[in-house]
Amino acid sequence: MSSTNDPFHAVNDLLAGISAKVIVVDFHAEATSEKVAMGWHLDGRVTAVLGTHTHVPTADQRILPNGTAYQTDVGMSGPYDSVIGVQKEMVLHKFLTGMPSKFEAAKGNPKMCAVLVTCDPLTGRASAIQRIMLGE
Ligand SMILES: [Fe+2]
């Protein structure tokens, strides 16, 4: 398998060329199983593996055994009176009718999702990860 065909081999190649100790991997992917697997793949090799893309924050933040902070999805920053950021009426119209629907960004109930990772800058190992969701 070519190293450019999948993220697991590609990240091996990328890390071989990085000398920094503190490395944060934003794994922008859909499947939670792939993100969990990437956390284990990189445990002890990077400071944090943080999933993004699904817009829904997961509650599985933790420090893996070899010192990598991990969370399957950090969540979105945007309007939560919505369907992952889109006006809910537009999404419901599509689901209820099966017809294509124009999608526009919603506005209500803004929140910001993030994580706070504490690490040793000399080793790059994480010692804590905190899930954050800030409201209005
Ligand atoms: Fe995305």
Side-chain angles (χ1 to χ4, degrees):
M1 178 177 288
S2 166
S3 65
T4 58
N5 284 344
D6 73 89
F8 295 92
H9 287 94
V11 76
N12 288 340
D13 293 345
L14 287 170
L15 289 176
I18 296 174
S19 60
K21 293 295 183 189
V22 177
I23 300 170
V24 175
V25 175
D26 174 348
F27 193 24
H28 193 80
E30 181 79 34
T32 53
S33 60
E34 283 187 347
K35 296 188 214 181
V36 171
M38 185 62 78
W40 289 117
H41 183 53
L42 297 178
D43 182 25
R45 301 165 64 197
V46 302
T47 306
V49 175
L50 305 172
T52 56
H53 175 66
T54 69
H55 296 206
V56 178
T58 58
D60 62 339
Q61 72 281 358
R62 63 175 167 159
I63 305 299
L64 296 174
N66 294 312
T68 293
Y70 177 82
Q71 185 171 327
T72 298
D73 206 291
V74 174
M76 74 171 190
S77 293
Y80 272 69
D81 288 346
S82 70
V83 177
I84 60 171
V86 174
Q87 291 182 25
K88 55 187 176 287
E89 295 82 5
M90 294 175 167
V91 176
L92 285 170
H93 175 77
K94 180 181 178 190
F95 284 137
L96 289 168
T97 65
M99 298 298 291
S101 178
K102 183 177 158 188
F103 283 179
E104 292 185 9
K107 291 191 168 72
N109 193 18
K111 296 183 186 296
M112 185 186 89
C113 287
V115 294
L116 177 63
V117 174
T118 304
C119 73
D120 181 337
L122 297 179
T123 65
R125 285 185 170 225
S127 56
I129 180 171
Q130 180 183 353
R131 182 166 41 95
I132 296 168
M133 179 186 273
L134 299 175
E136 294 184 39

